[in-house]
Amino acid sequence: MVSGQRRKRELLSVIALTLICTVFGLYYYARSNGSSVSEAEQVFKPFKAGQSMNPLLDEVHEPVGTLTRAEDGRQRANATLLSLVRNSELRGLIGTMRDIERTFNSKFNYPWTFINDEPFTEEFRQRTQAITNAECRYEVIPKEQWDTPAWIDPDLVEVSGNILVEDRISYAKMQSYHRMCRWNSGMFYKHPALQKVKWYWRVEPSTRYYCSIDYDVFKYMEDNDKTYGYVINIYDSPQSIRTLWPTTLEFIAEHPEYVHPNNAMAWLTENSRPNHNVLANGYSTCHFWSNFEIGDMDFFRSKAYDSYFDYLDQAGGFFYERWGDAPVHSIALGLFLDKSKIHWFKDIGYLHQPYYNCPASPKCRGCEAGKFTDAGYLNRENCIDKFFKYVHAD
Ligand SMILES: Nc1nc2c(ncn2[C@@H]2O[C@H](COP(=O)(O)OP(=O)(O)OP(=O)(O)O)[C@@H](O)[C@H]2O)c(=O)[nH]1
Ligand SMILES: *[C@@H]1O[C@H](CO)[C@@H](O)[C@H](O)[C@H]1NC(C)=O
Ligand SMILES: *[C@@H]1O[C@H](CO)[C@@H](O)[C@H](O)[C@H]1NC(C)=O
Ligand SMILES: [Mg+2]
């Protein structure tokens, strides 16, 4: 009974906090005249004197010394292509697999690992294996990794879901989406099938790859002492992560030892879209768009990351808000990792609607060099220049 009362009090305080944040946010937004108009113009500001306006239009130099073709398998890195995917997404996945096999994997033959919350169909297995010479693994997520945790209060999920709907957060009430974000935040690297694997390249169905990649990207990470690679850096909907940053600050106050001296805090808290920082309570919302990632799972398996995830999980924001795995990964990388270990794969031409990474290179076909999006007004969502300003620049 006592805990029932307590839960009610917690419920009320979460609702109250959300309301306070909303009012505060609206106030600041009004004060700022809603005038983030200049934002779009700022997107491609030069990072340094001498660099062009759009870094994608600078000449792409292929990394040297990493042309370790591994047809014999001996030189391959400890890595897999990894896709969490539903049976219903088979068509979209096939297109993406063809792109990746053509541009990269037919040269290196890294295994594919497909993961699903239900068993893959025979059709799914046959049609995906038919696209690649590499080994395909088909895995199911253990129920306890996917289920909504027992401490999540369904009534509170319902009430807070209504607030997310009012804030026009997509997939606000789709519980599987919340579970997916949680799994991609704190579970993928714990999946039994990945325990003996270090590197992963995350692949989402219906994404496109445009440029031939003639070196082993995993070896590149290893040889250059990198931990995490991304292609796109964008702002998030601050209303989906209102308490993520405050919860993070609580965690690092308890565990200051996890914060790396060469962290990217300045990038996480930059203030070029002030209403984002207000609504997200201090976080710029700029993040690595995690539908593409090339990363070292041992980072996520570290004590710092794993206890951070547990802390977030207990706080409940994967369900009461709509915390995405992209801001969660990004904040953790920005705080716990030496920022020099983060790599922009400028040379990997990529699309996940509605955003591209498209370099100027003769190795690319099918995307327009330098274009970030087909919808002009969305250019302001690009924050890669902020990453360069605060992280790569020094
Ligand atoms: N097995 C499984 N995979 C899922 C589920 N929900 C999402 N996914 C996968 O998780 C990844 C992200 O889901 P998406 O629906 O693409 O989410 P999103 O990229 O935020 O949203 P979109 O802009 O609609 O693409 C994709 O690889 C999906 O295939 C689910 O319920 N089960
Ligand atoms: C709002 O707009 C007015 C007039 O354009 C300007 O003088 C003022 O500085 C602006 N305020 C803020 C906070 O940007
Ligand atoms: C691959 O990496 C995992 C995680 O670091 C490790 O446990 C495993 O031993 C590695 N396998 C090989 C063959 O090096
Ligand atoms: Mg997607």
Side-chain angles (χ1 to χ4, degrees):
M1 280 304 101
V2 173
S3 82
Q5 286 296 335
R6 224 176 98 185
R7 179 170 289 177
K8 248 181 213 154
R9 274 207 305 277
E10 283 170 0
L11 192 151
L12 284 171
S13 56
V14 168
I15 292 173
L17 185 64
T18 306
L19 286 174
I20 290 166
C21 292
T22 309
V23 169
F24 215 64
L26 286 172
Y27 170 67
Y28 267 83
Y29 186 74
R31 255 188 49 154
S32 72
N33 287 347
S35 66
S36 21
V37 195
S38 62
E39 211 48 44
E41 294 142 41
Q42 283 179 14
V43 162
F44 284 128
K45 253 190 175 163
F47 318 123
K48 287 182 198 163
Q51 267 188 311
S52 71
M53 291 296 277
N54 182 340
L56 283 168
L57 292 174
D58 293 339
E59 205 180 325
V60 171
H61 295 285
E62 187 127 282
V64 287
T66 53
L67 294 160
T68 49
R69 291 177 191 252
E71 273 120 14
D72 61 4
R74 273 185 307 133
Q75 292 184 1
R76 267 202 300 265
N78 185 351
T80 189
L81 292 147
L82 175 64
S83 188
L84 172 72
V85 57
R86 290 165 283 211
N87 285 305
S88 60
E89 293 170 299
L90 177 58
R91 275 174 66 95
L93 178 66
I94 285 174
T96 304
M97 275 186 81
R98 287 203 175 112
D99 279 0
I100 293 180
E101 287 292 325
R102 182 185 71 253
T103 55
F104 172 76
N105 204 42
S106 56
K107 294 163 244 178
F108 299 98
N109 274 307
Y110 278 99
W112 287 86
T113 306
F114 303 104
I115 302 193
N116 193 349
D117 58 309
E118 45 184 55
F120 284 110
T121 62
E122 199 47 41
E123 186 197 8
F124 186 101
R125 291 162 188 256
Q126 282 174 9
R127 294 189 58 198
T128 48
Q129 182 67 78
I131 294 166
T132 176
N133 291 325
E135 179 194 355
C136 292
R137 303 167 183 162
Y138 302 90
E139 305 291 343
V140 173
I141 298 176
K143 199 170 142 32
E144 65 277 11
Q145 280 192 0
W146 188 259
D147 280 353
T148 304
W151 60 84
I152 298 300
D153 178 343
D155 298 336
L156 186 48
V157 170
E158 179 65 25
V159 175
S160 49
N162 294 335
I163 297 173
L164 295 173
V165 170
E166 277 166 32
D167 281 336
R168 299 183 194 202
I169 297 302
S170 49
Y171 307 116
K173 290 204 139 189
M174 187 174 174
Q175 290 318 303
S176 66
Y177 191 89
H178 291 256
R179 284 196 280 266
M180 176 276 287
C181 290
R182 173 176 178 266
W183 190 83
N184 276 326
S185 296
M187 295 292 161
F188 73 101
Y189 55 89
K190 294 177 192 142
H191 190 285
L194 297 173
Q195 288 319 290
K196 292 200 170 130
V197 186
K198 182 177 178 67
W199 298 99
Y200 71 103
W201 174 340
R202 176 165 156 190
V203 176
E204 257 194 44
S206 302
T207 53
R208 293 270 77 88
Y209 287 83
Y210 299 108
C211 312
S212 175
I213 308 161
D214 298 327
Y215 63 98
D216 184 331
V217 293
F218 299 112
K219 290 267 183 195
Y220 174 86
M221 298 289 284
E222 245 161 32
D223 294 347
N224 292 279
D225 200 18
K226 302 292 181 188
T227 296
Y228 188 83
Y230 69 96
V231 286
I232 289 168
N233 222 219
I234 53 168
Y235 293 106
D236 206 352
S237 311
Q239 297 91 339
S240 69
I241 47 169
R242 288 179 194 274
T243 65
L244 175 58
W245 186 249
T247 309
T248 301
L249 294 180
E250 275 171 30
F251 176 77
I252 59 175
E254 277 181 32
H255 291 286
E257 73 277 14
Y258 292 149
V259 178
H260 196 281
N262 193 31
N263 62 67
M265 180 68 105
W267 165 66
L268 293 170
T269 56
E270 63 87 12
N271 196 30
S272 60
R273 287 181 86 172
N275 53 315
H276 276 52
N277 296 56
V278 169
L279 290 169
N281 291 293
Y283 172 36
S284 73
T285 80
C286 187
H287 62 279
F288 310 116
W289 213 21
S290 61
N291 43 66
F292 170 99
E293 301 182 302
I294 291 178
D296 180 350
M297 283 186 277
D298 290 336
F299 170 78
F300 296 99
R301 292 173 185 133
S302 67
K303 204 153 177 286
Y305 185 84
D306 208 44
S307 47
Y308 175 57
F309 170 75
D310 285 343
Y311 195 89
L312 298 182
D313 203 21
Q314 290 292 332
F318 291 108
F319 299 94
Y320 303 139
E321 297 180 12
R322 206 217 57 196
W323 294 353
D325 51 282
V328 170
H329 287 187
S330 301
I331 290 174
L333 290 156
L335 293 177
F336 309 145
L337 184 68
D338 178 340
K339 66 186 181 185
S340 70
K341 295 188 180 213
I342 298 173
H343 176 65
W344 177 33
F345 276 105
K346 173 183 182 174
D347 52 333
I348 298 189
Y350 181 73
L351 167 69
H352 177 300
Q353 287 290 0
Y355 303 123
Y356 296 86
N357 182 67
C358 187
S361 164
K363 288 178 182 286
C364 307
R365 293 272 174 285
C367 66
E368 188 186 314
K371 185 194 263 188
F372 175 67
T373 177
D374 295 316
Y377 73 98
L378 288 176
N379 273 312
R380 67 203 292 261
E381 301 305 326
N382 191 354
C383 54
I384 201 165
D385 63 327
K386 303 300 181 299
F387 195 79
F388 276 77
K389 180 172 172 189
Y390 292 99
V391 180
H392 288 322
D394 52 43

